[in-house]
Every structure is written in C-alpha cells, then in structure tokens.
Amino acid sequence: MVYLTRRERFNAAHKLYNPNWSALQNDAVFGKCANTNWHGHNYELFVTVKGEPDPDTGFIINVKELSDIIKEHVIEHLDHRNLNLDVPFLQGMFTSTENVAKAIWQQLVPHLKGCTLHCIKLVETENIYVEYFGD
Amino acid sequence: MVYLTRRERFNAAHKLYNPNWSALQNDAVFGKCANTNWHGHNYELFVTVKGEPDPDTGFIINVKELSDIIKEHVIEHLDHRNLNLDVPFLQGMFTSTENVAKAIWQQLVPHLKGCTLHCIKLVETENIYVEYFGD
Amino acid sequence: MVYLTRRERFNAAHKLYNPNWSALQNDAVFGKCANTNWHGHNYELFVTVKGEPDPDTGFIINVKELSDIIKEHVIEHLDHRNLNLDVPFLQGMFTSTENVAKAIWQQLVPHLKGCTLHCIKLVETENIYVEYFGD
Amino acid sequence: MVYLTRRERFNAAHKLYNPNWSALQNDAVFGKCANTNWHGHNYELFVTVKGEPDPDTGFIINVKELSDIIKEHVIEHLDHRNLNLDVPFLQGMFTSTENVAKAIWQQLVPHLKGCTLHCIKLVETENIYVEYFGD
Amino acid sequence: MVYLTRRERFNAAHKLYNPNWSALQNDAVFGKCANTNWHGHNYELFVTVKGEPDPDTGFIINVKELSDIIKEHVIEHLDHRNLNLDVPFLQGMFTSTENVAKAIWQQLVPHLKGCTLHCIKLVETENIYVEYFGD
Amino acid sequence: MVYLTRRERFNAAHKLYNPNWSALQNDAVFGKCANTNWHGHNYELFVTVKGEPDPDTGFIINVKELSDIIKEHVIEHLDHRNLNLDVPFLQGMFTSTENVAKAIWQQLVPHLKGCTLHCIKLVETENIYVEYFGD
C-alpha cells in the first residue's frame, strides 16, 4: 500500500455566521470571520489516495488523472467563488474549514476508481488546517 | 544604510470589474476574477524601510513599533474585509494588487519617523506579487 | 471525526548536554549542540485536535480559543526563553525536541474541553521535526 | 513512542516509460514524463523513525547519525544521478515516485538500530508526494 | 511605476561540462554536476515586469496574458526537457543557471508589449538562485 | 552582469540589551528580546554576488566555492553559538539583525575574488529580515 498526495489550490470568499443567531452572538463567536461583506482565503487542498502501484506504470493512479478529477469535481466549483453563495454542494452549510473538507470528501469519493480516498487536508491559512479521513 | 522588512498578513474578499464596462467585457478581461459574489485571498504584505542603525539599539526602527504602525494603518482596515466595499482608503479604485500596493504606500508613508519607506511588496498568491517603490 | 491543526511559533535558546557526563563525552554525543553558551531555534509548533464539528458553528473547537490555550499554557512559557533555565515544566529534562514535544503534550492535555488532543508536532529546523501522539 | 523525521534532498534525472509499450502508448500514459532525453526534479525525502527517547540523551536516535545513514545508503546513490540508469537498487524498475519511495524503504530498513522505520515520504514537486509505511 | 512578478515552474534534466576539457578537469570544476547521465531540477522562474497601471483595469499587464507569454516562449520549451539536448534557444551554451536566466530574458523581451521586462529570477534549488536585469 | 545568491543557515542564541541602560529601560525598548538567559533563532543568510559569467564555465563564481567561503568565514563562527559571547567579529556590538548583517558583509568582502559582493540578506524569523548593500 502506497499513499499518493496531490495538491490543488483555490481562492474563495466566505464568511462564518449562524443565521439563527443575533448579530451580537455571531460577533461573539465568529469575530471578524462574520464580517457582513465577506473575507477570503487562498485555500490549499491536499488529496491523498492509497493503493498498490500498477505493475505496468508504477502508479497508484496517474497523477494527471487524479488532478483532472479534483479539478472537475472540486476546484471548478470553488475557485474564485463565494463558498456561502455560489456552491451547490455547500448549500445550507456553515463554511467552516471542517465542513468544507468533509464536503470535498463527498464530492471526490464516487469518482476515484482503482484506488481509495484516504485523506482530505484543507489549509485555510499558514496557521490553520483540517484533515478528514472519511469517518 | 540598512533595509529592514516586516511581513504582515491579511485575509480579504474582492473582485475585479470595471463598472463602466458590460458584464461581457468584464468577463473577457477579468475572467473568473470578476465573479459577482466575490472571491478572496490570503495576502502577504512585506514593508521595507531603510535607514541607519541607532547606536543605542542597533535598530533602524524597533520592529515591534513598525509592526504596530502597519497593523494600525493597514491591517486593521483590510483584514477580514471586502476590499471593494469596506475600506475607505480604497474607495473608487479597482482593487488590483497593483493599486492596493500603491494605496498601502500612501497609508504608511506619513507614519514612519526616523526611517524611510522603501518598498511595499504585496503577495496575492504564491505565483503573483507586486512591488511599489513610491514613484 | 475531523482533525484540526493550529500552528504557533516560539524562539528559544537551549543546549543539549548530560550533566552526568564529561565535557568530552558530551561533545562526542551532542557535538556543537552542547555549546556552553547556548544556541537557539525558531521552533514551529503544530497542535492537532480531533472531534466532531458542532452543529451550531461547524467547529471542532473555535480555533481562536485553541490558539489562546496554546499561547497561555505553552508559548508564554517558551517564547524568548532559555529552555534549560527558564521553563518550570522542563526543569530537569534534556531539552531534546523529543522531550519538549512530550512536555508540551502534558501542558495542553488538561486544558482542552470538547475535543481530544491528537498530536504535538514540533519543528526544530527545516530538516528536523518530532511528533508525539500521547502514548 | 515518539516519531522523529529527518529531511534530506537529492537532485536527479529520470523518465517514465514502459519498454514493453510503443512510443505512442508511452506518450498516451506518461505524456511529457516520457521525454526521451529525460527530465529531472529536486526531490525532498522525509524519513520518519519511531521509538522511545533514550534516558541519557533524550534522543530516539541521534539525528546526526540518522542523517549519515540516509546519506550513505540513499542520497549518495541518488543525488546528481539518473534514476533509470545510474542506481543499482532501482535497476529494472519504473522510477515512479511510488516505486522510488518503496526502494528507499528497502535501502534503509536494515541499517536502523534502536528505532523503527515508520515512513518514507518522497516529494517530487510542490504538488505531488508519496508516502510508504512498509506494507 | 509598479513591478509585477509572475512565478512559473519547469522540471528539467541537464549537466554541466565543458566539451573542450578532459573528464578529469570537468570533474574538478563541476563535480557531481558533470554526471554523464544527467541530473535534474524543479526550476522556479520569477518574471518581473514594470509599468504604470492601466486606468481601465488597474493592471500593468493582465497577469493571465503574462503567464501565457511565459508559457508559450519559455515553459513549453524547457519543461520536462533536457536543457543540453532539447532546447533550440540553449544550443551550444553551458546550461549554468546564469546562462539559462540570460537566455530566458532574450526569449521574453520581444513579446512583452505595454510594459518593460525588469528581472528574470531563476531558482535552481532552495539554496541557489540567479537574477538577470538585462545588462 | 548577473546576480547569484547562495543561501546558508545558522542556529544561534542571542539577546538584545544595552549595558549602559537600566533593566527597566532595556525591558521598555527590547521587551522579551532582552531576556537575561538568552533566546535564539534559525537564521537564514542569503549572500548575493554579481559579475559576468566565465566563458569556460558559465559561472560568475563556482557556487560550491562561494558556499565554502561563507561557511569558513561566517557560518563556522555563528552556527550553534551565542552571538553576544562566542563571536570575535561581533564583540562589543548589539546583536540586532541590522548589525549582524553588516558584520557578515565585512567578514566576506575580503575573500571574494572575481566577483563583487552585492547584498547580505539575513532572515531572523519568517516575519523579519534585513538587507545590507555595503554603504
């Protein structure tokens, strides 16, 4: 079993707020992350798959193919978007890094053949990242 | 003469569009950067000052003081904000990295005493940055 | 279960030496790390916690709160300090990266509520780091 | 149990191609990685070992000794070499990152005493890396 | 005047040797960089242009257009190539980082309209880079 | 004219304090940097030289030779040392990054033949660096 990781990037706007809460309560919990007019990040996404190298190629999966799958099912939907407004697969969610990582897992898992999705790592800033392993 | 650089960071939303143009023209020039609902970045700001080290401290300027000046006059206004909507000193500008770097120069130059502002370097992504030297 | 990591940094002096050994033996084992007058590092600390996202916030733990806990119980004690002389919770230990990582675990574990400490990663240089998972 | 990681680097040429396939088929699968006259990379190698810190040193293994073992058994053979032509322990293999990581594991495992090899992480570009845990 | 920098990357094989010299002399001067069967690098290329921001866009040059020019005239010719064998515009040159940077300048300068090429920075490893300003 | 930069690193202890000042005054100006028992950093040193590439090698200077000069005259004296106590060429100076950069310039300038020292860049933390160009 070998683990292969591909990094992709997307730049997006979002905000953190709970629509069931008052502005005051949102401010107390989310602070400046609740700014009405949004803020944004350069997100880094690391997708790790695992499997046995193919004897004809030495590959778990062709990393070009892995990149294309991530771009089609994730990056195209998130890059230069507003995570709260523009992304069907995030509708109705708080766009915390935790939740976005889990949603990316759900987007990718049906499209990976011949290898197994192992980890979604989503880096929000140089000081904060989240990992999700599917359970 | 020695040059001292301090890095600060801010996370902000913005979009690129020209209100005098049609949506089509904006899309042709700015592409996905014109997304109606904004996108965003983790900006890195490098402020370089120059001067002679003080014989009593070895400092051009106390880097803690430099950091405080940058935070008060720049970061507080840009961090977790929408560059197009929330920032008085960017009102009416296209928020291209070029223009934001020039505006940051204007914000800082009146507040630096005992050393000279040399360069504003503004990093938008790992692949794009801008430098402005004041003329 | 989602894993959330917060990075903090501290700059500290230390040396590696065994007081039960001769200078010669210390030099043979620790080399220049045993320099009498100390040396130092920019340490990077990555604290990983795990838990279920809260349905009201999307957070495992508010990353601001996690940062405050790390600063209060770890960074305040280590930053701009001498690890061998200035830190009560490291007294009597060799300040190897291994031991410092374990001691940081002990400092943090009583203060984390609502999520579980998963990993302490301590980076000493760009070429050396240590991870501790609590057992 | 503590985990210690040491980074080393090597710069090497290689290409990806299957000698049992036509040029066309190689091109279809490996693309520009099959370029006849080779291409190359700055590889980063992260070797992780695990063990209990020695009570006399605080070390799992002296990181200087770990570095020397990696240099003698891996880096000397790979650095400024052609992975397809110059490396006895890679003879007859496709030099995919997956296979090179596994071969590095085999090179190191007999030479580590007093600690256990845990992971070989091999970074090919800033966007691609592989991990191997020995089974 | 504002300076804009775009980073692109290419992975290439090369070697350093002087065909007028004996193998011994090549080895004495170039060391392992003269390895017969090549070695390689992940090169990072930073292209800096300067100009006045356009009042209709805020851009010196559209960074997408700058990226396309660099890709067409430089990256397509160098990426996944052998710098000594595969690149018409490097024929007959020693492929030192210095010479490659100068050759990249020559490739780009005729294709930049509306702004001025300022600097080619070519990073060979994390420890070595070269800058060329055109004279 | 081409510019070549070589990075080297050193890990050192130091403190900032003015012996002519009271403890109170030192604390007011230098804050935690004045900690009696020292603190420390992983310093990164970037040495830039300029010159014309040699027609027989393509080199301004052999980067291996440049590295050896920096190691002999700078790194050997600073690495795993106390900058205030252990370094003859820093005696009697405040060990501010500004002053250390200037002192490194003085150390190197007599030893560079066939090329010209252009810049000493000294990085103290990821947020602070200093550049000195010799006047």
Side-chain angles (χ1 to χ4, degrees), chain F residues 21-60:
Chain F
W21 288 355
S22 66
L24 212 69
Q25 199 173 355
N26 271 294
D27 189 59
V29 172
F30 297 115
K32 59 189 181 179
C33 296
N35 180 52
T36 307
N37 287 326
W38 322 97
H39 66 281
H41 296 292
N42 299 337
Y43 289 91
E44 283 185 289
L45 171 63
F46 294 80
V47 175
T48 302
V49 298
K50 60 185 172 185
E52 289 296 336
D54 183 314
D56 282 338
T57 61
F59 291 164
I60 296 171

Side-chain angles (χ1 to χ4, degrees), chain C residues 16 18 21 28-30 94 96-99 101-102 125-135, chain D residues 1-9 46 48 52-63 121:
Chain C
L16 296 176
N18 183 329
W21 289 354
V29 171
F30 297 113
F94 301 129
S96 69
T97 318
E98 288 91 330
N99 284 347
K102 290 177 72 171
T125 72
E126 66 186 38
N127 296 324
I128 301 170
Y129 65 82
V130 150
E131 291 160 299
Y132 181 61
F133 298 85
D135 56 359
Chain D
M1 191 75 86
V2 184
Y3 295 72
L4 171 71
T5 298
R6 172 76 193 180
R7 184 182 75 125
E8 302 287 346
R9 299 177 300 114
F46 294 81
T48 302
E52 290 296 336
D54 183 313
D56 282 339
T57 61
F59 290 165
I60 295 170
I61 181 176
N62 192 321
V63 78
K121 177 178 174 179

Side-chain angles (χ1 to χ4, degrees), chain B residues 22-81:
Chain B
S22 67
L24 211 68
Q25 199 173 354
N26 271 294
D27 188 59
V29 172
F30 297 114
K32 58 189 181 178
C33 296
N35 181 52
T36 307
N37 287 327
W38 323 96
H39 67 282
H41 296 292
N42 300 337
Y43 289 91
E44 283 185 289
L45 170 64
F46 294 81
V47 175
T48 302
V49 299
K50 60 185 172 188
E52 290 296 337
D54 183 312
D56 281 339
T57 61
F59 290 165
I60 296 170
I61 181 175
N62 191 321
V63 77
K64 175 73 173 62
E65 183 191 335
L66 177 57
S67 174
D68 288 345
I69 292 169
I70 304 169
K71 280 180 181 139
E72 180 182 350
H73 298 285
V74 179
I75 303 300
E76 290 295 320
H77 301 267
L78 302 181
D79 188 34
H80 284 75
R81 304 287 183 180

